[in-house]
Amino acid sequence: MIRSGWDDPRRMSLGSGRGASPSRQLTERPAGRPPTLSLASRLRAAFGRSEPDAAHEAVLADRSEILLGIAQRLSRTLDRKEIFRMIVLEANRVLATDAATIRIVKDSTLEVVAWAGISDEQAARLPAFRDDEGWFALVLRTGRPLAWEDVRDGEPPGYERYAADLRFAADLIVPLLHRDEVIGTLSCVSKSPRRWTEDDIAFVAGLATHAAVALHNAELFEEAENRAARFRVLQVAASRMNRAKTLESVGRAVVEETGRIVDYHNARVYVVEPTGDVVPIAFQGTVGEYEKVDFDLLRTTLGVGFTGWVAERGVSLLIDDANADPRGETIPGTADIDESMMVVPMRYDESVVGVIALSKLGLRQFRDDDLQMLTILADHAATALESARLLARSEGVAVELQRLVEMSSALSRSLDPRQVANLIAEHIARAMAVDECAISYWDRPAGRVLTFGYYPAAGITALEPFFDISGFPETVRVLEQQVTAIVDANDPAADAAEVALLKHDGKRMVAMVPLVAKGQSIGLVELLSTRPFTLDESGLALARTMANEAAMALENARLYEDARNLADRDPLTGFYNHRYLHERLGEEVVRAQRSRRPLGVLMLDLDDFKLVNDTFGHLFGDRVLAWTAERIRSTLRAPDVAARYGGDEFAIILPEADPAAAEAAAQRILAAFNEPFHAEARGPVPIAVSIGIATHPVDGRTGTELIAAADRRLYRVKKSGGHSLARTDPTVAPRPTKRSAGAA
């Protein structure tokens, strides 16, 4: 007997009789505002149970506790193998089935990644299915659970491909969904015919939901870690390139260090000569014709081929099919083959000083992220090239360039933006022999600069954290036109606003150098002195070189900080994620215990959000969630911590909030939802929220206890109709039945 998903109106009844009438849809609701029902109540309604059965309720409550425990365990790990193993073991144990497996979609094929109840040798012999064949095609098409109670009543598609010792009599298959896309399946099988109850299906569906959320969090963390690792490699690469003393050694460092960041089959580094020639200085190949090429054959000129085109225009290229792009030219002596390319300029002081070209066999082999990394490395390489050229021109600047190397080395040891800015200020001030140096970041939309670093370090405490630049036209000119400007307070022709500021601060001169990263001004270096100083062409060149290096270091530190934040943030709402919430709550509990200060926790859940998704679609639902986050955020204090707990459920940590303060915060949130959500081409959509409140130490002394207490009260609010709050339990609290985490 085959049954489709438990919320599918086309499925057979989950009763044991084959002639049972179809169950009504779970989404059927009477006119008017739908009541808030627990999962158990919805299941009873769906399967024709008007009154709860005590044994049935006990099973639901027990499985609810099990799911909560699994969710908590999943929140403490970001290891994919551990997540897979935990899910199959728990599914097999709780349902008392003979085996359980997880398959993940990879390249349009279901790949078995975890199993329980069978040996590794048996798992290796499980049949593979494409996304258009077997039972997986049904799951992929519907996105709903499927169940077979007895394969003798009709074999599942693809059943014949199972070996004799792997055959089963009953099978329950639930999809793993992320953003409405099937990313895998969780299957539980029994060797004997079995009637799958609604409780079985609801439990496995809940388990699959937690698995999908945990896997998504693990993927986000892995992406952030990988990105952070690449930035760390960039720091090492920059340090090595800046230690190179010749153009050739810079080129060699580029091709070798690039291979640690981007996978390629061929890498070439060129310098642009004043004559317009584009000359190769380094080459590295790894396969076939890429291994050895005559340098003379690689030479080109401005505008000729991909390399010449980029050298002339200073624009990066990401080429999915090199043969199909008319800007390219075949290198003499090589064949036309399917090839992807990335070609990026090395820009220094707004001039293209060189080009890096990567090739790889096959089409569409490079990604946008690869291009970004290569572009950042190219900016470092440009600085290194010019450093090498300066060194070659004059031994007299060797000491000054050594300062640049020392700064690069020091900067490579930190990825904290403000620490990097302080290091930059110290190194540039010492190199330029000035009294003080300020490093500022340009907040372009706000028309101001933010003070990030200062030398000497003690001086930053006397400065404002930012200042408006609208009244300082010379500062604006330096930022917008990317020029260097020197202001002398004794010069009658100098900018009056700058002179007034210098005299107010007791300074005689300031030299302003823009911080330029990837062609954009990101900030400002200000060299301040109480006495006159001069910067000749060589000094200005060194100042610009150090500023360019500083800009890349500062930008990399900021990007690294953003990459780390990806591991802690929910991309849809901008709130912290489930994992970060538990870590931070643990820290706040310890702080509250030590300081003997109160701590509040709110658990929030949107009322009837499933109805919004079912009525308007999940894209509209995402907009509602983003709007919800903004409504919540508008009510919070600066120290409050908001997190998306899962789906349409949120959690708020309220440091130093006693029960009264926590209730006041909850009231502010409820009031924020008095106005409906407005969307184009639709009428107003009322959105309501239920809130449960817990405070330390009255309701719990650990983060887990506080979450559980607030969650229990949230459930009670939803059961009583929603759009309200609860901060205390009744004298006799009913044991909550299972409700799905993150789904209304």
Side-chain angles (χ1 to χ4, degrees):
M1 176 177 180
I2 180 174
R3 302 182 314 204
S4 95
W6 55 275
D7 60 346
D8 184 353
R10 298 171 296 175
R11 65 167 173 79
M12 299 291 290
S13 168
L14 286 180
S16 58
R18 297 185 189 176
S21 60
S23 299
R24 66 184 179 87
Q25 302 179 50
L26 292 183
T27 54
E28 291 179 357
R29 295 287 185 268
R33 187 177 184 82
T36 302
L37 300 176
S38 69
L39 177 58
S41 300
R42 294 202 299 269
L43 286 172
R44 284 196 296 271
F47 298 104
R49 295 186 176 184
S50 59
E51 294 296 332
D53 176 81
H56 179 68
E57 291 294 301
V59 171
L60 282 178
D62 183 57
R63 290 188 174 178
S64 176
E65 291 296 327
I66 292 172
L67 269 180
L68 179 60
I70 293 171
Q72 290 172 343
R73 290 162 60 194
L74 288 173
S75 71
R76 294 193 292 268
T77 181
L78 290 167
D79 184 280
R80 290 169 61 87
K81 290 184 179 179
E82 184 178 349
I83 292 169
F84 289 140
R85 187 66 176 161
M86 188 187 309
I87 295 299
V88 293
L89 286 174
E90 292 296 336
N92 204 38
R93 180 183 68 83
V94 176
L95 267 64
T97 49
D98 293 310
T101 59
I102 288 180
R103 297 171 182 255
I104 295 297
V105 180
K106 184 176 182 181
D107 298 329
S108 300
T109 302
L110 270 182
E111 179 181 298
V112 180
V113 296
W115 51 90
I118 58 175
S119 66
D120 293 351
E121 182 274 331
Q122 288 175 311
R125 292 190 289 109
L126 288 173
F129 293 99
R130 297 194 311 271
D131 57 7
D132 59 352
E133 64 180 5
W135 50 263
F136 178 54
L138 296 174
V139 177
L140 182 64
R141 185 170 64 253
T142 64
R144 297 189 175 103
L146 292 174
W148 285 268
E149 296 182 344
D150 191 341
V151 297
R152 293 173 298 182
D153 293 337
E155 291 185 357
Y159 180 76
E160 70 282 354
R161 292 172 55 184
Y162 285 81
D165 63 325
L166 296 175
R167 295 210 163 192
F168 50 85
D171 193 4
L172 172 59
I173 305 163
V174 175
L176 274 63
L177 296 169
H178 177 62
R179 293 187 177 275
D180 293 332
E181 180 182 358
V182 179
I183 63 173
T185 61
L186 171 59
S187 174
C188 298
V189 302
S190 179
K191 294 180 180 178
S192 303
R194 171 172 175 164
R195 177 180 176 272
W196 302 107
T197 68
E198 64 266 29
D199 302 331
D200 295 337
I201 296 176
F203 175 80
V204 179
L207 197 58
T209 297
H210 286 302
V213 171
L215 290 174
H216 178 59
N217 288 340
E219 288 174 0
L220 285 178
F221 183 79
E222 288 174 3
E223 289 176 6
E225 283 292 292
N226 290 338
R227 191 171 180 83
R230 294 177 92 180
F231 277 116
R232 288 193 291 270
V233 172
L234 278 174
Q235 293 284 341
V236 175
S239 180
R240 176 185 171 184
M241 287 186 291
N242 280 289
R243 289 196 301 269
K245 300 298 190 292
T246 65
L247 296 182
E248 290 73 18
S249 60
V250 171
R252 175 50 45 189
V254 169
V255 297
E256 292 177 358
E257 295 296 330
T258 299
R260 300 176 58 202
I261 303 170
V262 180
D263 184 30
Y264 64 76
H265 290 147
N266 171 265
R268 305 180 295 277
V269 181
Y270 299 80
V271 294
V272 179
E273 302 288 357
T275 59
D277 290 327
V278 184
V279 181
I281 59 171
F283 171 92
Q284 180 147 309
T286 60
V287 297
E289 295 180 352
Y290 284 143
E291 292 187 33
K292 293 183 180 180
V293 173
D294 188 339
F295 265 38
D296 288 337
L297 297 178
L298 297 177
R299 294 178 67 97
T300 185
T301 57
L302 291 176
V304 178
F306 293 128
T307 303
W309 191 93
V310 170
E312 183 177 55
R313 291 169 173 79
V315 177
S316 298
L317 293 178
L318 177 60
I319 306 158
D320 291 331
D321 184 353
N323 290 325
D325 195 314
R327 292 170 294 194
E329 283 197 352
T330 302
I331 296 174
T334 62
D336 287 335
I337 53 178
D338 286 343
E339 181 181 46
S340 306
M341 291 187 66
M342 282 197 301
V343 189
V344 301
M346 291 184 281
R347 303 176 64 90
Y348 178 82
D349 202 15
E350 286 306 287
S351 298
V352 177
V353 299
V355 175
I356 302 174
L358 303 185
S359 302
K360 194 172 184 181
L361 296 177
L363 307 180
R364 294 176 293 278
Q365 295 296 305
F366 297 115
R367 304 175 302 170
D368 290 337
D369 191 54
D370 296 327
L371 184 64
Q372 182 189 30
M373 291 294 167
L374 186 61
T375 300
I376 294 172
L377 186 139
D379 288 331
H380 283 296
T383 301
L385 281 178
E386 287 307 297
S387 298
R389 279 177 167 165
L390 285 171
L391 187 62
R393 291 189 190 114
S394 173
E395 290 295 326
V397 298
V399 173
E400 294 176 332
L401 288 176
Q402 184 60 36
R403 292 184 181 275
L404 176 62
V405 173
E406 290 172 357
M407 184 184 76
S408 300
S409 179
L411 296 181
S412 69
R413 294 192 291 270
S414 175
L415 285 169
D416 177 82
R418 296 191 180 276
Q419 185 178 9
V420 166
N422 283 330
L423 287 170
I424 292 169
E426 178 180 357
H427 280 272
I428 294 182
R430 292 182 182 277
M432 298 294 106
V434 295
D435 301 322
E436 300 175 27
C437 179
I439 305 297
S440 304
Y441 201 85
W442 187 14
D443 183 358
R444 190 186 297 255
R448 62 185 186 178
V449 294
L450 314 177
T451 304
F452 260 35
Y454 205 84
Y455 176 81
I460 197 171
T461 59
L463 299 177
E464 294 294 331
F466 62 86
F467 69 90
D468 191 327
I469 60 173
S470 59
F472 298 90
E474 189 68 358
T475 300
V476 174
R477 187 177 74 89
V478 170
L479 289 168
E480 291 183 344
Q481 300 181 21
Q482 297 181 2
V483 296
T484 300
I486 300 176
V487 178
D488 186 340
N490 290 351
D491 182 0
D495 184 300
E498 300 287 353
V499 169
L501 184 60
L502 284 171
K503 290 182 177 180
H504 177 272
D505 294 339
K507 301 295 188 295
R508 167 67 185 274
M509 296 183 68
V510 61
M512 294 181 286
V513 183
L515 289 168
V516 180
K518 292 180 283 188
Q520 298 292 320
S521 294
I522 66 166
L524 192 69
V525 176
E526 294 174 278
L527 304 171
L528 299 153
S529 178
T530 56
R531 58 187 184 280
F533 65 87
T534 58
L535 286 178
D536 56 18
E537 191 58 34
S538 175
L540 286 172
L542 179 60
R544 285 192 292 266
T545 300
M546 297 185 79
N548 286 340
E549 177 70 14
M552 291 310 306
L554 192 58
E555 189 69 351
N556 280 351
R558 189 185 64 80
L559 289 173
Y560 177 83
E561 191 171 55
D562 290 345
R564 287 295 305 162
N565 283 338
L566 287 175
D568 296 331
R569 295 279 184 179
D570 169 55
L572 177 63
T573 63
F575 280 3
Y576 288 109
N577 59 26
H578 186 279
R579 180 186 63 81
Y580 180 87
L581 169 74
H582 283 274
E583 291 181 355
R584 181 63 178 272
L585 183 54
E587 295 170 357
E588 292 295 339
V589 167
V590 172
R591 185 177 293 110
Q593 290 171 342
R594 289 176 176 173
S595 63
R596 299 183 182 275
R597 302 292 295 169
L599 172 67
V601 173
L602 306 182
M603 291 295 293
L604 297 79
D605 193 280
L606 296 186
D607 298 332
D608 307 310
F609 183 67
K610 185 177 186 301
L611 183 62
V612 173
N613 273 340
D614 291 346
T615 304
F616 301 112
H618 287 277
L619 290 178
F620 186 88
D622 283 351
R623 293 174 60 192
V624 170
L625 289 174
W627 175 83
T628 295
E630 288 302 319
R631 303 302 295 174
I632 294 172
R633 186 182 287 112
S634 68
T635 70
L636 300 181
R637 308 167 303 168
D640 298 339
V641 179
R644 186 180 179 191
Y645 199 74
D648 60 329
E649 194 169 11
F650 301 87
I652 313 294
I653 302 173
L654 304 171
E656 300 199 11
D658 58 18
E663 182 172 350
Q667 292 286 6
R668 290 197 302 272
I669 294 174
L670 287 176
F673 287 87
N674 288 339
E675 293 293 326
F677 173 73
H678 294 275
E680 302 82 9
R682 299 188 189 279
V685 179
I687 303 296
V689 64
S690 297
I691 305 176
I693 306 172
T695 55
H696 176 280
V698 177
D699 299 312
R701 294 183 176 274
T702 68
T704 300
E705 291 174 354
L706 290 172
I707 288 288
D711 202 46
R712 184 172 61 249
R713 291 160 186 170
L714 167 63
Y715 163 75
R716 182 158 55 84
V717 172
K718 293 186 73 68
K719 188 175 181 180
S720 63
H723 196 50
S724 184
L725 60 87
R727 68 178 178 89
T728 59
D729 292 324
T731 304
V732 179
R735 186 176 183 181
T737 55
K738 175 184 176 295
R739 64 186 180 86
S740 58

